[in-house]
Amino acid sequence: MRVCVWLRKIWWCLLLVPIVGCSDPNIGPSGQTNGIPGLTNTGASLSGNADAVWEVECTPIDSSTPPCPVAGFQRAQRVNSPYIEWIAPPTGLAWIGVNERATLSSGLGDDLERYQYIFRMQFDLSSFDPSTVRLTLDWASDNYFGGYRLNTSSFVGALSDNRQWIGFKTLTLASPAVTFTAGRNLLELRVLGDGQTDGLIVRNFQGTATRR
């Protein structure tokens, strides 16, 4: 009986897709503005303790700083015991870092810019007109936020000390000021820290665009 009900729902959905886009806000006819799928907050999709969407790369700022334990990008880790002064994560989300403590064994904790952390994630705009995209997200970091880059090699945005006692800030990326591509897009957020309690949190990550 349950199978029959399920099949009947699928049949009605297929029948109505050309007319109303079924009940999924991410499905719709050409020319319709829809939400963009795959925009994932930090800690919202986990595989064990690893973030299944966000990756991070740690590099020392200069040659006098000890190297990071892992070279290249790796899965960002949920911070299991966040620093006491960090903003409490919304339900279902988490701060992320290079490990579950967001701290390197070589970290000095002197508030200087000794390490660069690049947090990145990808999303797909194959079904959308890239010239109509608008994204927003709220972020907070420890220590310093060093800007963003989208499908480019250069970061945009001045250094910002937006740590836990300041609160979330909103980043808006919208075409034509930002160039999106029809297909896979790579968003990277840069954080600079001293090797102790260096992390990032993203909430309210959402976007809209016109379907092709």
Side-chain angles (χ1 to χ4, degrees), residues 1-17 20-24:
M1 181 63 180
R2 291 182 179 179
V3 173
C4 293
V5 172
W6 179 77
L7 289 174
R8 187 158 52 247
K9 287 182 178 179
I10 293 295
W11 183 84
W12 274 107
C13 185
L14 292 174
L15 181 66
L16 293 174
V17 161
V20 299
C22 201
S23 60
D24 188 339

Side-chain angles (χ1 to χ4, degrees), residues 110-117 119 139-147 158-163 165 189-194 197-200:
D110 55 8
D111 266 356
L112 299 180
E113 300 159 32
R114 297 189 178 275
Y115 292 94
Q116 169 183 271
Y117 306 90
F119 294 88
W139 61 268
S141 66
D142 191 356
N143 290 8
Y144 309 99
F145 185 73
L159 192 67
S160 175
D161 185 5
N162 192 52
R163 283 177 283 181
W165 49 84
L189 305 180
R190 182 174 180 236
V191 174
L192 304 175
D194 56 19
T197 60
D198 297 334
L200 173 75

Side-chain angles (χ1 to χ4, degrees), residues 136-204:
T136 59
L137 62 85
D138 298 335
W139 61 268
S141 66
D142 191 356
N143 290 8
Y144 309 99
F145 185 73
Y148 74 90
R149 64 185 181 191
L150 181 74
N151 305 321
T152 66
S153 59
S154 300
F155 284 95
V156 178
L159 192 67
S160 175
D161 185 5
N162 192 52
R163 283 177 283 181
Q164 56 275 10
W165 49 84
I166 299 175
F168 284 98
K169 282 189 176 180
T170 299
L171 175 65
T172 300
L173 307 177
S175 182
V178 176
T179 302
F180 296 90
T181 61
R184 304 294 293 180
N185 287 256
L186 179 65
L187 174 64
E188 297 175 288
L189 305 180
R190 182 174 180 236
V191 174
L192 304 175
D194 56 19
Q196 289 192 10
T197 60
D198 297 334
L200 173 75
I201 185 170
V202 170
R203 71 174 186 184
N204 296 336

